[in-house]
Amino acid sequence: LYGLSQIQFLALMILHRDKSKHSQLATEIYEKIDISKPVPSAALKTMRQHGLILYSGKSIGSWAKPLRISDNGRDLSLKLLPE
């Protein structure tokens, strides 16, 4: 759907729907998707390259970079969700 894999769709929905946080760590997204690291890591990298998500705020070390949905990602998620 719109060129997204199932993992990319799930990550986009997690970032779109969680209003309690401005951003989430990749590890938090992995836990919510309930999948091992290599697969969603590549999916998140592709999503960053396509401008659907972006880094937000300061890193917590070199491996822990908060992610948030971009304006383009929010626009796409609104197209995917029922009205």
Side-chain angles (χ1 to χ4, degrees):
L1 193 58
Y2 288 93
L4 295 175
S5 70
Q6 181 178 6
I7 292 169
Q8 290 170 331
F9 173 79
L10 292 172
L12 194 65
M13 291 301 107
I14 288 167
L15 290 169
H16 175 78
R17 291 191 172 223
D18 190 354
K19 305 296 184 201
S20 67
K21 298 173 88 173
H22 178 67
S23 62
Q24 295 192 38
L25 298 175
T27 54
E28 294 172 312
I29 296 170
Y30 302 157
E31 288 173 7
K32 290 177 182 177
I33 294 174
D34 192 29
I35 195 163
S36 63
K37 184 180 175 183
V39 174
S41 181
L44 293 176
K45 180 179 179 181
T46 301
M47 292 174 73
R48 284 192 319 271
Q49 291 170 342
H50 289 122
L52 299 175
I53 60 175
L54 45 87
Y55 290 122
S56 172
K58 286 191 167 190
S59 298
I60 306 168
S62 62
W63 51 270
K65 299 176 182 175
L67 296 164
R68 70 174 180 87
I69 193 168
S70 68
D71 291 340
N72 288 340
R74 188 164 317 284
D75 291 344
L76 179 58
S77 65
L78 290 173
K79 287 180 188 176
L80 296 170
L81 295 170
E83 293 183 24

